[in-house]
Amino acid sequence: MPMPPAPGPRFNFAQHLFERHQAYPQRLAYIDDQGSLRYDALADRSRRLAAALLAAGVRREERVLLLMLDCNDWPVCFLGALYAGVVPVAVNTLLSADDYTFMLAHSRAQAALVSPALLPALQAAMAAGPHELRAVFVAGAEAPEGTQALEAALAAQAPLDQPASTGPDDPGFWLYSSGSTGRPKGTLHSHANPYWTAELYGGPVLGLRPDDICFSAAKLFFAYGLGNALSFPLSVGATTLLMAERPTPDAVFKRWRGQVGGVSPTVFFGAPTGYAGMLASPALPARADVALRLASSAGEALPADVGKRFTAHYGVEIIDGIGSTEMLHIFLSNVPGRVRYGTTGWPVPGYQVELRGDDGLPLPLNEDGSSDTGDLFIQGPSAALMYWGSRDKTLDTFQGRWTRSGDKYQRNADGSYTYSGRSDDMLKVSGIYVSPFEVEATLVQHPSVLEAAVIGVVDEQGLTKSKAFVVLKPGAKASDAELKAFVKDRLAPYKYPRQIEFLDELPKTATGKIQRFRLREREAAGR
């Protein structure tokens, strides 16, 4: 596939989208829990928001905190800021006031755009530490003293005539990359980066169409959700269904059935833990009750058994891939019509991947084209510019044209890649690397197992042994001996977990990723 044309020397991503939307102004862009928003209204409201930020004294390249639940105002605020040349900092809505205190100070945000339900957390953050906020805009028509109602602010401004004269490499927006330890990293993306993800992945790989109804369980403040629910659908003129509440199986099913907004999604974006939970739900809709033609998965590797069961039930493929906050979206992916469950697929055209050994050199290929396990590096046009205020971490991750993912992978003979775990999660048992994910993916094939996480624990002799934490399906039973034997029958004997502990739930991030470091901390504390 030839590379799409690169953006010119003057490029503003919001303006780029608005120019496309002129061909279909009456088409629905968004439907949330409260109503709908047409493409012409999206452009109008975004340009008014741009004017409101400038009127509040926010200057080009200064940051504004975007702390909103998924709703029609979210893309208005994000695109409006970009249009004005202001940098939106999209933040996780599930964090604590302490996290927001850090982010306000770290980003030096000059304004905040917030949902009413999240305003108390923002106010607590403002009271707890230094900040530079000049204005706080609260979504809706009402606002407490000291803040501005977003609706009134938009009504008071004429749409900004011209976008900021930004270039493709100018600062566009921030996303905070959640690390396993320490404070999150402010990841700085350019105006061109979402263009590249849409042109290289959303259109040619996923094949999104103007008649699609897109629905993402991953929220807009995540890199995955931002592509799913903004960059991709807006680039092709599709409609997006937004949901403010948590993506529980019942909440997702309600929307699959068309019970919100009167539309049924044709494309669903989820995460492996979400798919597993939905398949285990007694309320799982029948194939005839949904309109899905395609499903996507990212966040962590999709177990083959989950993908196969979903396809068997719905006749729809799950397109599993891996992306990152640093690369903005997916760079290694299965492809519709060419899905190999148990792998993460092939490099997305426009991206290069490389596996490196412990010596930092590229791993050689075996005679059949496969390779040993190595650290995954990526090269592509959507890489972030830097981590704000963190030179050491920037240099460690962004190495020339290559970005270090922090993931371990193996290359298969057919050119696809199989996930082996995070670089800091890999286990070395009896001198041999063991992939926690491989063991976890085997455990979840057991009919009683809903989820599993595997870590290494050090025994009394100082040797590393594997331990599995298992969550059983509601009402199901299984013993540790039964599960150990199950793994031994399917993997090399040395890979079976020496210990198994049953839990009611696993610790996870807001995206559903299992936090194995929490389990390691739990073990260290002797619980």
Side-chain angles (χ1 to χ4, degrees):
M1 183 190 78
M3 283 288 286
R10 296 293 91 195
F11 183 79
N12 182 291
F13 183 65
Q15 175 66 4
H16 162 73
L17 292 178
F18 297 160
E19 288 176 350
R20 289 192 172 189
H21 302 165
Q22 290 174 5
Y24 35 83
Q26 304 300 306
R27 189 178 296 167
L28 286 182
Y30 286 100
I31 300 171
D32 69 4
D33 299 335
Q34 306 301 320
S36 60
L37 185 68
R38 299 184 320 199
Y39 271 99
D40 57 356
L42 172 63
D44 179 80
R45 288 174 65 82
S46 298
R47 290 167 58 212
R48 289 177 185 272
L49 189 280
L53 290 175
L54 297 178
V58 183
R59 296 170 297 182
R60 180 170 166 173
E61 295 189 11
E62 290 184 329
R63 275 74 63 193
V64 295
L65 197 77
L66 178 50
L67 177 59
M68 280 191 178
L69 302 172
D70 278 20
C71 65
N72 291 345
D73 283 333
W74 203 105
V76 166
C77 293
F78 183 82
L79 295 175
L82 290 179
Y83 193 84
V86 171
V87 179
V89 180
V91 297
N92 190 330
T93 60
L94 302 174
L95 301 180
S96 67
D98 177 64
D99 292 311
Y100 300 136
T101 298
F102 164 76
M103 291 173 176
L104 285 173
H106 182 247
S107 68
R108 299 197 290 274
Q110 300 296 302
L113 303 149
V114 61
S115 292
L118 300 172
L119 181 60
L122 177 63
Q123 290 173 322
M126 293 167 61
H131 64 84
E132 300 180 21
L133 294 180
R134 303 178 186 180
V136 175
F137 297 92
V138 182
E142 299 181 3
E145 185 178 352
T147 68
Q148 299 182 49
L150 184 61
E151 283 303 315
L154 297 182
Q157 300 294 329
L160 189 64
D161 265 347
Q162 296 295 324
S165 182
T166 52
D169 296 330
D170 282 358
F173 57 96
W174 289 21
L175 300 173
Y176 273 98
S177 177
S178 58
S180 59
T181 58
R183 289 293 193 180
K185 301 180 290 291
T187 311
L188 177 53
H189 280 282
S190 71
H191 272 264
N193 284 4
Y195 165 85
W196 285 117
T197 61
E199 294 298 316
L200 294 175
Y201 189 73
V205 175
L206 293 182
L208 295 186
R209 310 185 305 233
D211 62 343
D212 274 322
I213 308 293
C214 298
F215 174 41
S216 176
K219 301 301 184 181
L220 279 160
F221 57 78
F222 293 118
Y224 180 47
L226 183 66
N228 303 341
L230 192 145
S231 307
F232 297 174
L234 294 188
S235 291
V236 301
T239 299
T240 300
L241 183 64
L242 296 176
M243 178 176 72
E245 64 184 301
R246 289 179 56 249
T248 62
D250 287 344
V252 170
F253 297 158
K254 185 177 175 182
R255 286 157 179 84
W256 279 7
R257 294 190 180 99
Q259 296 171 312
V260 177
V263 297
S264 297
T266 58
V267 181
F268 175 70
F269 301 88
T273 51
Y275 284 111
M278 290 187 290
L279 287 169
S281 171
L284 183 70
R287 183 182 307 189
D289 294 334
V290 304
L292 295 177
R293 70 170 187 84
L294 186 71
S296 167
S297 179
E300 56 186 345
L302 178 74
D305 179 64
V306 173
K308 290 174 182 176
R309 286 192 288 126
F310 187 90
T311 298
H313 185 79
Y314 284 116
V316 170
E317 296 174 319
I318 298 180
I319 309 303
D320 184 36
I322 180 177
S324 67
T325 304
E326 290 75 11
M327 294 302 296
L328 191 56
H329 213 273
I330 289 171
F331 48 80
L332 189 63
S333 179
N334 283 272
V335 180
R338 190 189 182 196
V339 169
R340 184 180 168 193
Y341 285 129
T343 79
T344 313
W346 296 263
V348 171
Y351 293 88
Q352 297 178 51
V353 302
E354 185 173 274
L355 297 183
R356 299 182 185 177
D358 293 340
D359 58 3
L361 298 176
L363 290 177
L365 296 182
N366 301 319
E367 288 185 5
D368 64 355
S370 65
S371 79
D372 295 336
T373 298
D375 293 303
L376 179 68
F377 283 72
I378 317 100
Q379 182 180 150
S382 63
L385 300 173
M386 62 183 291
Y387 295 133
W388 182 263
S390 184
R391 185 172 178 81
D392 286 346
K393 290 180 180 178
T394 294
L395 293 174
D396 186 49
T397 298
F398 304 103
Q399 301 180 11
R401 293 185 176 275
W402 292 93
T403 300
R404 184 174 66 86
S405 71
D407 294 294
K408 293 274 191 181
Y409 266 86
Q410 285 181 304
R411 189 183 194 272
N412 303 309
D414 63 357
S416 65
Y417 287 76
T418 298
Y419 180 68
S420 297
R422 290 290 293 173
S423 297
D424 54 2
D425 283 335
M426 289 292 289
L427 307 178
K428 208 165 191 179
V429 179
S430 300
I432 305 173
Y433 273 119
V434 174
S435 164
F437 175 74
E438 184 182 22
V439 181
E440 293 162 3
T442 302
L443 282 166
V444 298
Q445 293 176 30
H446 190 283
S448 295
V449 175
L450 176 62
E451 295 176 328
V454 175
I455 65 169
V457 296
V458 179
D459 65 14
E460 62 278 2
Q461 299 177 22
L463 300 174
T464 298
K465 305 293 183 183
S466 57
K467 178 174 181 177
F469 294 85
V470 172
V471 177
L472 298 178
K473 294 176 182 177
K477 295 181 179 180
S479 67
D480 59 349
E482 178 185 352
L483 294 182
K484 289 177 182 178
F486 185 83
V487 175
K488 281 184 180 180
D489 287 344
R490 287 159 177 79
L491 297 178
Y494 70 88
K495 295 182 178 181
Y496 85 94
R498 285 2 184 229
Q499 301 177 47
I500 293 179
E501 182 175 342
F502 296 95
L503 299 178
D504 293 333
E505 60 181 2
L506 297 176
K508 298 173 187 172
T509 67
T511 52
K513 292 182 184 179
I514 296 170
Q515 294 176 309
R516 293 174 186 81
F517 77 96
R518 297 289 184 199
L519 296 172
R520 289 193 289 267
E521 291 174 350
R522 185 177 187 275
E523 283 298 297
R527 289 175 291 164

